[in-house]
Amino acid sequence: MSWSIAEVARDSGVTARTLRHYHAIGLLVPERIAANGRRYYASQQLLRLQRILLLRELGLGLDAIADVLARQDNQSTVEVLERHKAWLLREQQRLGRLVRTVESTIENVRSGGEMAPEKVFEGFEHNPYEAEARERWGDAVVDAGYERMRNWSGTDAEKARTGYGRVHERLAVLKAEGAEVHDLSVQEMIQLHYEVTSLFWTPTAEAYRGLGQLYVDDARFTEAINADPTVATYLRDAMNVYADEHLSD
Amino acid sequence: MSWSIAEVARDSGVTARTLRHYHAIGLLVPERIAANGRRYYASQQLLRLQRILLLRELGLGLDAIADVLARQDNQSTVEVLERHKAWLLREQQRLGRLVRTVESTIENVRSGGEMAPEKVFEGFEHNPYEAEARERWGDAVVDAGYERMRNWSGTDAEKARTGYGRVHERLAVLKAEGAEVHDLSVQEMIQLHYEVTSLFWTPTAEAYRGLGQLYVDDARFTEAINADPTVATYLRDAMNVYADEHLSD
DNA sequence: ACTTGAAGCTGCCGCAACGGCAGCCTCTAT
DNA sequence: ATAGAGGCTGCCGTTGCGGCAGCTTCAAGT
């Protein structure tokens, strides 16, 4: 008893195209190929196809399926399935993280996507970066920052308004002049940057590095820094050096 | 101020190849292309690249990214992100289902992958299909089946041992003769099949259809039925007719 | 015997997002 | 003048087929 490709297709639910493909890659070779080139499948092939489709439903790739069907012992089949399961779990977790990131991005766009760049560094409260900050460093840090702002002196407020701007301008010049990120002149500006930041909150070494990366990652920060977006990378690298030298983990 | 492709690559962390690709598909066109064909990017492009990379990290496809960047309003950006989030959640759930299926398949292979085909229909207990059955119809049904087996009479046991075999043989003949699945002669055999099955448990219409599909899906069942695997499809179709006509949902 | 429709066949392109060549060109520095 | 670094344009490969085009073959009806 043997079946034509269309019969097998009807019976198994896959298309004839798929069967030809499986033949082409050697996954399911017909029992017999007639002189006119037509494929004929016997019951053996149908059973193999059934196993292929089972494994395919589990999400295995065709080469992994070929692997399982090649070695007949159950032990290695279980191993392949275990590996596959582990992969599925990792993927699932990754998607979960993506969902959370997308959610926080939606929040971000909703609340502050429209904000003008020049307003970026005007403080934390009702600021679109609040969500970002809470996401990155937790509620306690942000709330502590608010508390601190309430106790600012006049010079503190002045420093907060103009401090970052001065840092960015000087850094752009220093970078243009070819200064390395670990040069003293650069690190002095980072020192100022750190002091201004400390008006809001006291970053750990890790958080400070995270802030530097945020400048690079987030277009709104980068735009606010300067006409030259590569200054963000430069700033981040310099902040990393500063964290290495002055902050403890 | 403009940057060469290598500078942009270093600064952004993507490869030059990727930047050329983005140019090729029109996602990120350099500000200027020199007479010698070299690409030069300005700050505007760097900012756009940054947004591209943010969206890419969220798992969006490049065309979706282009879409978001094209329409500048926040409303439609949020819509795209919401759709993307919904997709991520669906994918995550799908992977979760796959994990469970793989787990039950592993169980199945571990416990019964070696079983000889002729032993397939010898009852449920310590049978590799037990896991399958519990997966499909729940513990209550399987446990009730065991209870029922304990009360079998001698003729019941005989019927259980030989009943399925007779059904399969007759069906193969009827199929070869060209009988339709709704023909009386076929449905009489399905009636017997249903009676034998009822020795173990009383399937609802849905469960009976599920059992039919299982014959088609699982190679071990198909092998056990007959040398001709298409009989499984035939049996399933006939069982569906029987369920339609005699069983209520 | 002839025609026609259904089914089969073999390529080849396309998808997503690039990686990795090959082969050639160009710039800068010594 | 030469060398090395960086740039360029194709083109193939990845995964699992779908969807053609263009040709052949088969079974059935007239």
Side-chain angles (χ1 to χ4, degrees), chain B residues 87-105:
Chain B
W87 181 82
L88 287 172
L89 285 173
R90 277 199 306 278
E91 271 298 290
Q92 206 195 3
Q93 283 177 10
R94 194 176 66 85
L95 291 183
R97 284 197 304 276
L98 279 183
V99 168
R100 285 192 296 281
T101 311
V102 170
E103 274 170 353
S104 98
T105 303

Side-chain angles (χ1 to χ4, degrees), chain A residues 35-69:
Chain A
N36 54 26
R38 302 199 166 188
R39 297 167 175 82
Y40 291 97
Y41 298 83
S43 59
Q44 215 183 343
Q45 282 74 48
L46 292 195
L47 292 172
R48 185 179 169 91
L49 175 57
Q50 207 171 24
R51 295 205 164 89
I52 290 170
L53 296 181
L54 167 66
L55 294 168
R56 193 181 70 165
E57 267 185 45
L58 301 183
L60 274 85
L62 296 188
D63 52 349
I65 293 176
D67 209 49
V68 168
L69 295 182

Side-chain angles (χ1 to χ4, degrees), chain A residues 3 11 43 47 50-51 57-58 74 82 85 92 96 98 101 103 109-110 216 219 222-223 227-229 233, chain B residues 3 11 43 47 50-51 57-58 74 82 85 92 98 101 103 109-110 216 219 222-223 227-229 233:
Chain A
W3 295 270
D11 208 67
S43 59
L47 292 172
Q50 207 171 24
R51 295 205 164 89
E57 267 185 45
L58 301 183
N74 287 15
E82 291 282 11
K85 178 186 158 191
Q92 205 196 4
L98 279 183
T101 311
E103 275 170 353
V109 171
R110 273 220 178 95
V216 172
T222 314
E223 277 174 355
D228 176 356
T233 312
Chain B
W3 296 269
D11 208 67
S43 58
L47 291 172
Q50 208 171 22
R51 295 206 164 89
E57 268 186 43
L58 301 183
N74 287 15
E82 291 282 11
K85 179 186 158 191
Q92 206 195 3
L98 279 183
T101 311
E103 274 170 353
V109 172
R110 273 218 178 97
V216 172
T222 314
E223 278 174 353
D228 176 357
T233 313

Side-chain angles (χ1 to χ4, degrees), chain B residues 5-34:
Chain B
I5 195 166
E7 286 166 341
V8 175
R10 204 174 330 108
D11 208 67
S12 64
V14 305
T15 67
R17 184 69 186 74
T18 299
L19 291 172
R20 290 194 198 100
H21 180 58
Y22 288 175
H23 182 192
I25 63 174
L27 181 60
L28 182 68
V29 179
E31 182 214 18
R32 188 168 66 82
I33 296 180

